[in-house]
Amino acid sequence: MTSRRIAVVSAGIGVPSSTRLLADRLAAATTAALAEHGVTAEVEVVELREHAHELVDAVLTGFVAPGLRPVVDAVTGADGLIAVTPTFSASYNGLFKLLFDALEDGVLDGKPTLIGATGGTGRHSLALEHAVRPLMAYLHAVVVPTAVFAAPEDWAGGAAGVPALDRRIARAAGELADLVVGRPAAAAADPFESPVPFEQLLRGE
Amino acid sequence: MNPGAGALGQVIAGATTRGRGIEMGMQFGVFSVGDVTPDPTTGRTPTEAERIKAMVAIALKTEEVGMDVFATGEHHNPPFVPSSPTTMLGYIAARTTRLQLSTATTLITTNDPVKIAEDYAMLQHLSDGRVDLMLGRGNTGPVYPWFGKDIRDGIPLAVENYALLRRLWREDVVDWEGRHRTPLQGFTATPRPLDGVPPFVWHASIRSPEIAEQAAFYGDGFFHNNIFWDAGHVRRMVSLYRRRFEHYGHGPADQAIVGLGGQVFMRKNSQDAVREFRPYFDNAPVYGHGPSLEDFSELTALTVGSPQQVIDKTLTFREMAGDYQRQLFLMDHAGLPLKTVLEQLDVLGEEVIPVLREEFAARTPAHVPDAPTHESLKAAQEKVSA
C-alpha cells in the first residue's frame, strides 16, 4: 500500500479549539478517502499556537529557528495540505498568516490543499472565498473547490437548507484525496543542493 | 568556455600556503554597518559627524590592538552614514600602516562597475595595496531606483557588473556591451590596478545561493555575515560555495577562501556583559524586539559574555564552516557609545585575538591557504610571468 503525507495546520487559539476540531474531522475524512484509493495517509498536525513566538521571530529576523523548522518542513514536504483558521475580523487570523509569511517562495507551488474555517456566525462563511482562497492562489497552491466553513449551528444540526457539516467535510476530503492521489506534489528543488550553474546566470538565464 | 578558469592559476597560486613564506594565518578584524542608532540607555543619537569620526577611531583602534582588517559598509539612506567607502578608507589608509582595508559590502548592483574599478584601484595605490572588497547586493528596494536600477534585477546586476569589473581590472582596453549600462568602446579604467594586480574580491550574501555560486565560479572568496541568520543556514551556504569551488576547478573544497562575521560583547563576568548589552540587543535594528538575547545567541554567532566564551564560540565556527581565512566582528552596532566600543576592542585585542590566533593555527592543516593579499597575488603573478 502506498502512502501520502498530509500536513494539517490549525490556527485555532482556544483549548479545546473548534478550529482544531474541524481540522481533525477534515484529516480523518481525508484519511478515509485516501484509503478508498488504497493509499495510507501519514497525517502530521501542526498547532500554530505552540509556535507563535517562533513565527513572529521568523518574520522579524527573516530566518526560521530550529524549533519552527519541523513545522515548515512538514508543510512544504507534504503531498497534501489541510489549512484551517478561525475567522477574525472577516478573515484568517494573524497566526495563520504568519506561517505562510515564513515560508520560502514557491514551496506551495501545485500543492493540493483543502481550506477550512470556523466562525462565530454563518455570515462569515465567505471569508474562506474572499480571504483564504486568494492567499492560497497567490502561493500557487491548488485548492479544492469545496471549502469547509463551520459555524456554531453546524456543530449541532446545521442550518435549514445547508448540507450537514459531515457531508461537506466528506466532499472536500474526497476532492483533496483525488488530487493527492492523481498528482502528488513534487518535492521542491533545493537550491543549495542543485544551484543554477553560473554559466546560465552569465547568459542572463 | 569558463572565464573563471583563466584566473585560476593566479588566484590559487596567490593564496599563501601556511607553513611556507611569511606566516600570517587567519585574518581578524572589525566590520561596521555604520548605523546611526540612538543609545537606548540614554536616548542620545550621535550626529553624523560623530558617527563618521567614530568609525575612523574604531578602524585605527583595530590596527592598534593588533587586528588585521577593517571593513566599512556602504549605504545610501539614513540611518546609515558610510555612503562613500573609498573616501573613508583612503583617510584611514593615511593614518595606518598595516591594516587591510575592506568593505562590508560594496554594492555591486547599484554602483557603476566602472566607478568601482577606478575608486578601488586608486585606493590600492594610496594604501600600497592594502585593499580588498566584499561585494554585496544591498537589500533595500528603494535604493535601486535612486541609482537607476530595479531590485528585481539584483542577481543579474551582480552577475553582469562583476563580469565587467573583472575585465576593467584585467584588460587595459575594454570593448563591452551588456544589458545594464551603456556600452564601452576602447575604454581604459584609470589608474590601472597597483602592480597590475586587481584587489582580491569576496562575494557576500546571507541567503542567495547564486552568489555562493558566483564566488565559486571565479575562485574568489565567499563571506557570510553569520550574525543575522542561524548557523545551520550559514553551514549550507558555505558548503555550497566550497563544493562548487571544487567543481569549477579551483582546488579542493577545503582550500576555498571563506570569511565569517561575528558579533561580541564582553565583560569579565558574563552576567555583567548580558546586563549591559541587553538594552542594546532588545532595541537593535534587524533583530530587536524579536527573539530573546539568549535564544539569538544560541542560534547565531552573537556572543555576549566573558572573553573566554567569545574564544570558545568563535572556535565553533570552524566546526560549522570548515577551516576559514577571515573572521570579522561587528562591534559598534545598535547605538553602543564609542567609548564602550573602544574598550571592547582593547579586550578583543588583548585577551581574545592572541588566543584565537594560536588555537586556529594549531587546528588548521598546512594545505589550507591564507586569504590572498596584494603581496601574495603579486608574487603569484610574477611567478606565472617568469
Side-chain angles (χ1 to χ4, degrees):
Chain A
M1 208 165 171
T2 58
S3 67
R4 291 284 189 276
R5 285 184 288 171
I6 304 295
V8 182
V9 171
S10 169
I13 304 292
V15 180
S17 137
S18 60
T19 300
R20 173 61 189 270
L21 183 58
L22 177 60
D24 286 342
R25 303 269 311 260
L26 290 167
T30 302
T31 301
L34 283 169
E36 283 177 25
H37 290 278
V39 172
T40 307
E42 295 170 12
V43 175
E44 186 158 355
V45 182
V46 174
E47 282 278 9
L48 293 182
R49 186 194 164 103
E50 294 167 10
H51 300 280
H53 286 259
E54 292 160 334
L55 284 166
V56 173
D57 289 350
V59 168
L60 293 184
T61 63
F63 69 85
V64 170
L68 185 60
R69 176 55 59 189
V71 172
V72 169
D73 289 348
V75 171
T76 58
D79 298 303
L81 173 65
I82 297 172
V84 191
T85 180
T87 307
F88 277 32
S89 304
S91 181
Y92 39 74
N93 68 5
L95 195 54
F96 185 83
K97 182 65 159 41
L98 283 172
L99 172 67
F100 296 98
D101 289 350
L103 299 179
E104 295 279 326
D105 288 348
V107 296
L108 293 188
D109 279 4
K111 182 87 69 197
T113 299
L114 192 173
I115 55 176
T118 56
T121 159
R123 284 186 290 277
H124 280 313
S125 62
L126 281 176
L128 278 167
E129 302 303 330
H130 67 65
V132 184
R133 195 180 291 276
L135 170 65
M136 294 298 164
Y138 170 78
L139 296 169
H140 289 181
V142 179
V143 183
V144 299
T146 303
V148 180
F149 187 87
E153 59 269 26
D154 287 310
W155 301 109
V162 178
L165 180 61
D166 59 352
R167 284 181 49 203
R168 284 182 281 134
I169 287 172
R171 186 170 69 196
E175 290 166 0
L176 179 64
D178 287 348
L179 265 188
V180 167
V181 168
R183 190 179 49 174
D190 182 348
F192 295 94
E193 283 308 313
S194 40
V196 178
F198 197 74
E199 291 88 343
Q200 267 184 46
L201 294 174
L202 264 181
R203 289 194 300 268
E205 293 170 17
Chain B
M1 129 146 191
N2 172 0
L8 168 61
Q10 291 174 31
V11 172
I12 298 314
T16 355
T17 302
R18 285 170 218 246
R20 274 190 280 127
I22 303 158
E23 187 74 27
M24 183 178 157
M26 185 127 142
Q27 296 177 342
F28 293 93
V30 167
F31 66 138
S32 176
V33 187
D35 54 312
V36 180
T37 304
D39 181 333
T41 65
T42 62
R44 188 177 182 283
T45 307
T47 64
E48 288 184 322
E50 286 169 340
R51 187 66 176 103
I52 290 165
K53 290 294 177 70
M55 289 179 74
V56 171
I58 289 164
L60 302 186
K61 189 77 173 177
T62 301
E63 178 172 277
E64 183 196 316
V65 303
M67 285 194 278
D68 313 307
V69 185
F70 176 80
T72 174
E74 178 188 337
H75 298 276
H76 299 275
N77 45 339
F80 305 103
V81 287
S83 58
S84 180
T86 53
T87 307
M88 176 176 281
L89 294 177
Y91 180 82
I92 294 169
R95 301 188 55 191
T96 52
T97 55
R98 200 179 47 75
L99 192 65
Q100 182 76 8
L101 309 163
S102 188
T103 55
T105 59
T106 294
L107 302 179
I108 187 63
T109 46
T110 50
N111 283 307
D112 185 351
V114 168
K115 195 74 170 92
I116 296 179
E118 297 193 334
D119 280 348
Y120 286 87
M122 176 67 89
L123 184 61
Q124 267 193 316
H125 286 275
L126 290 173
S127 67
D128 301 312
R130 290 185 282 135
V131 181
D132 60 66
L133 296 78
M134 302 205 288
L135 300 181
R137 302 203 305 287
N139 55 12
T140 314
V143 175
Y144 283 73
W146 296 336
F147 292 88
K149 307 296 183 196
D150 183 329
I151 193 171
R152 289 166 294 187
D153 293 330
I155 296 279
L157 279 165
V159 169
E160 179 176 298
N161 285 350
Y162 182 59
L164 172 56
L165 177 61
R166 286 180 67 86
R167 289 190 56 197
L168 293 170
W169 276 335
R170 286 167 174 78
E171 298 170 31
D172 287 340
V173 182
V174 172
D175 292 326
W176 179 89
E177 198 176 333
R179 290 192 304 155
H180 296 289
R181 84 179 299 292
T182 46
L184 298 170
Q185 307 244 355
F187 175 73
T188 299
T190 57
R192 304 304 302 141
L194 178 65
D195 303 318
V197 176
F200 185 68
V201 167
W202 306 74
H203 301 264
S205 176
I206 293 177
R207 55 174 299 170
S208 300
E210 294 91 340
I211 298 304
E213 176 75 8
Q214 181 182 34
F217 179 77
Y218 291 110
D220 293 339
F222 178 72
F223 184 85
H224 199 290
N225 103 346
N226 195 28
I227 52 182
F228 295 147
W229 276 50
D230 63 298
H233 174 77
V234 177
R235 183 200 309 269
R236 287 209 302 171
M237 282 291 277
V238 172
S239 113
L240 168 64
Y241 160 68
R242 288 188 183 280
R243 203 167 67 242
R244 300 296 286 176
F245 181 94
E246 181 166 319
H247 167 84
Y248 285 117
H250 300 294
D254 66 355
Q255 293 185 11
I257 306 296
V258 173
L260 296 175
Q263 183 179 6
V264 301
F265 187 86
M266 296 160 291
R267 291 297 178 201
K268 193 185 290 291
N269 297 316
S270 56
Q271 297 89 331
D272 294 338
V274 169
R275 193 177 313 118
E276 187 176 344
F277 192 68
R278 191 183 299 280
Y280 296 95
F281 176 87
D282 285 347
N283 294 286
V286 183
Y287 46 67
H289 311 285
S292 68
L293 189 156
E294 287 75 9
D295 284 350
F296 204 68
S297 301
E298 197 174 314
L299 298 180
T300 73
L302 174 67
T303 315
V304 182
S306 66
Q308 186 59 46
Q309 284 173 299
V310 169
I311 291 167
D312 294 343
K313 176 77 166 264
T314 308
L315 288 169
T316 67
F317 299 168
R318 180 182 163 274
E319 290 155 29
M320 168 186 75
D323 291 302
Y324 65 108
Q325 284 78 8
R326 170 174 284 186
Q327 174 64 55
L328 301 185
F329 293 103
L330 179 65
M331 303 300 291
D332 64 343
H333 192 46
L336 281 170
L338 176 63
K339 178 171 170 289
T340 307
V341 175
L342 296 178
E343 284 167 15
Q344 291 290 310
L345 289 170
D346 276 328
V347 178
L348 203 56
E350 281 163 26
E351 300 179 39
V352 175
I353 302 300
V355 181
L356 285 178
R357 281 197 201 283
E358 230 171 79
E359 296 290 332
F360 274 108
R363 287 165 166 79
T364 306
H367 69 276
V368 172
D370 286 342
T373 60
H374 182 76
E375 291 312 315
S376 73
L377 293 169
K378 186 179 161 192
Q381 181 161 300
E382 281 162 0
K383 204 166 147 192
V384 168
S385 50

